[in-house]
Amino acid sequence: MTVNAKTSASAGNTWRDLPAAQQPEYPDAEALRAVIAELESYPPLVFAGECDQLRARMAAVAKGEAFLLQGGDCAEAFDAVSADHIRNKLKTLLQMGAVLTYAASVPVVKVGRIAGQYSKPRSKPMETRDGVTLPVYRGDSVNGFDFTPESRIPDPERLKRMYHASASTLNLVRAFTTGGYADLRQVHAWNQDFVKSSPSGQRYEQLAREIDNALNFMRACGTDPEEFKTVEFFSSHEALLLDYESALTRVDSRTGRLYDVSAHMVWIGERTRQLDHAHVEFASKIRNPIGIKLGPATTAEEALRYIDRLDPDREPGRLTFIVRMGADKIRDRLPELVEKVTASGAVVAWVTDPMHGNTFEAASGHKTRRFDDVLDEVKGFFEVHKALGTHPGGIHVELTGDDVTECVGGGDEIFVDDLHQRYETACDPRLNRSQSLDLAFLVAEMYRDQ
Ligand code: PEP
Ligand code: CO
């Protein structure tokens, strides 16, 4: 088949005829057009074949043969694109992955909210401080965090910075995951700067010793598999800014199909999942694995329509439902969705995001989350799947590798009064490294017991 690249690529622009929520209002349309044209000329950040590989891995998740670990910042920031920040985040995800693989005996598919997570949907368009009202911060890809009129003006040049920040982050992630750092024999090294200070670090050290023993045993038996030397790691972000995502959508020369080459997986957020609007239309045209966030108001009929729109061929691995209902609602709302989707014959991956339904404002004014609420939502998610005989496919969490104080609770307890100490997020509160490891151990137990 010969492919008319131009016609096919323009199929990635059909969303332009539909309403698109949460898009920046750029003051200069011509400047935006020039940026889009430049982005269209840039090389892909990921290969179509890698997206297919992730789709195959997600098919295993959907069928109950693997578990998804998806995590990273709520919002990445340009000034946090440094070797230390990236390594710490990766280290945390690798440690969580090791805990889940070893303690739950399940293959873990590792996907970062990384290398592209620069755009944020917001619940209000304006923000007021001390009587001054300005447009909200929408992520580094759109405008500046500083509360000044200049900084809050959307600037399309930031889309190019987003591309370059994503490229340099992904480059380092690829080096770390394939260049020896992620070798399972480094399982202790990932913990080095951490173990003494934290109960979860000590628990991890014990598990790392067991992994070491197992590796030594295998080596003594004469086997040292190549699989242990590198880690398969994928990138993902919310496909929010459609100008950016469609400028990075390309026709794959092997298949003639469209891929969004800004990340392996992209998802549609809770605020932009209207069935007849632009984000769903855009996602329906690309071959990447797609996630869709489902909040507490989602009906079973809607879930079935997402399947019709986004997974018409009923292909396991194509569609992931990322459920974020809140600890107090998950047990009520999720069962009907899972039941009706399962009855329809579709095989989707079910993943819990236990963060976004559990945010509240502390008396100090900090947006925060309780570790116990996060845990309780995960528990509810597991309970629902256990009762229905379906597979709890994974977790989607906001975390950082740094020792921040943004969420309260955890084994190394953070109190509400501690929040100001290291509150560094550009958007939502993240689990720190110790809380992330705690969560991994607890999820591994739940998985084993289901
Ligand atoms: C997010 O993942 O940061 C987010 C905004 O989530 P949701 O769309 O589920 O609210
Ligand atoms: Co968030």
Side-chain angles (χ1 to χ4, degrees), residues 74 113 120-121 267 269-271 293 324 356 398 428:
C74 178
R113 275 177 72 112
K120 297 314 300 172
W267 75 85
E270 165 73 356
R271 291 168 191 79
K293 294 282 202 92
R324 34 86 84 221
H356 288 90
E398 290 184 340
D428 290 338

Side-chain angles (χ1 to χ4, degrees), residues 73-75 113 117 119-121 238 267-272 293-295 322 324 353 356 369 396 398 427-428:
D73 293 301
C74 178
R113 275 177 72 112
Q117 181 54 21
S119 321
K120 297 314 300 172
E238 177 173 351
W267 75 85
I268 304 173
E270 165 73 356
R271 291 168 191 79
T272 51
K293 294 282 202 92
L294 301 183
I322 307 168
R324 34 86 84 221
D353 162 358
H356 288 90
R369 293 160 174 155
H396 177 121
E398 290 184 340
C427 193
D428 290 338

Side-chain angles (χ1 to χ4, degrees), residues 165-417:
S166 302
S168 47
T169 302
L170 197 54
N171 183 51
L172 190 61
V173 167
R174 288 186 192 275
F176 275 136
T177 52
T178 59
Y181 184 78
D183 190 317
L184 252 192
R185 278 162 300 195
Q186 299 285 324
V187 71
H188 286 285
W190 306 332
N191 202 38
Q192 246 160 27
D193 49 334
F194 182 51
V195 56
K196 286 173 222 71
S197 60
S198 138
S200 54
Q202 284 162 11
R203 191 168 176 198
Y204 176 85
E205 201 53 30
Q206 170 64 30
L207 178 129
R209 273 196 293 274
E210 287 175 33
I211 294 178
D212 247 1
N213 286 341
L215 293 179
N216 288 338
F217 173 73
M218 288 174 73
R219 224 173 358 252
C221 294
T223 173
D224 192 10
E226 283 303 307
E227 285 83 349
F228 291 174
K229 297 186 179 144
T230 61
V231 158
E232 199 179 58
F233 191 90
F234 299 96
S235 65
S236 72
H237 61 259
E238 177 173 351
L240 183 70
L241 299 186
L242 294 176
D243 285 317
Y244 178 84
E245 301 300 336
S246 61
L248 282 166
T249 293
R250 307 287 155 75
V251 180
D252 172 30
S253 55
R254 300 166 313 152
T255 58
R257 305 288 296 268
L258 287 176
Y259 286 78
D260 181 347
V261 292
S262 72
H264 297 111
M265 175 187 190
V266 290
W267 75 85
I268 304 173
E270 165 73 356
R271 291 168 191 79
T272 51
R273 62 179 176 82
Q274 302 83 356
L275 269 151
D276 47 356
H277 284 198
H279 289 82
V280 170
E281 171 67 16
F282 171 75
S284 76
K285 298 294 182 199
I286 56 173
R287 274 292 280 158
N288 307 54
I290 300 291
I292 180 156
K293 294 282 202 92
L294 301 183
T298 315
T299 63
E301 289 62 42
E302 268 178 313
L304 294 173
R305 286 184 63 199
Y306 289 130
I307 294 170
D308 284 342
R309 287 283 274 122
L310 298 172
D311 183 23
D313 300 331
R314 304 291 190 270
E315 187 185 6
R318 159 69 174 168
L319 188 59
T320 299
F321 283 143
I322 307 168
V323 180
R324 34 86 84 221
M325 302 199 159
D328 56 340
K329 302 198 181 71
I330 180 103
R331 292 170 179 85
D332 276 355
R333 311 281 161 90
L334 183 59
E336 195 195 345
L337 301 194
V338 177
E339 262 169 335
K340 294 214 169 135
V341 167
T342 307
S344 81
V347 181
V348 302
W350 291 98
V351 168
T352 172
D353 162 358
M355 314 299 293
H356 288 90
N358 297 308
T359 316
F360 69 97
E361 197 175 302
S364 57
H366 293 99
K367 220 201 265 191
T368 189
R369 293 160 174 155
R370 283 186 206 92
F371 183 83
D372 285 351
D373 292 342
V374 168
L375 189 62
D376 190 39
E377 179 153 0
V378 180
K379 270 195 194 135
F381 177 80
F382 272 78
E383 282 164 25
V384 170
H385 284 289
K386 189 170 186 173
L388 296 173
T390 47
H391 181 235
I395 54 171
H396 177 121
V397 284
E398 290 184 340
L399 58 80
T400 168
D402 304 319
D403 287 326
V404 299
T405 55
E406 298 172 4
C407 293
V408 293
D412 205 8
E413 190 154 2
I414 291 175
F415 297 97
V416 180
D417 290 343

Side-chain angles (χ1 to χ4, degrees), residues 20-79:
Q22 300 279 344
Q23 303 304 289
E25 286 176 22
Y26 295 105
D28 183 348
E30 193 40 53
L32 173 64
R33 266 193 295 275
V35 166
I36 292 174
E38 191 166 339
L39 287 170
E40 283 171 347
S41 74
Y42 286 175
L45 294 174
V46 302
F47 281 153
E50 296 173 320
C51 302
D52 291 343
Q53 189 69 263
L54 177 57
R55 212 178 38 251
R57 300 287 180 258
M58 291 308 300
V61 170
K63 291 183 203 151
E65 298 156 4
F67 191 77
L68 174 72
L69 168 63
Q70 186 170 26
D73 293 301
C74 178
E76 291 181 275
F78 293 155
D79 67 7

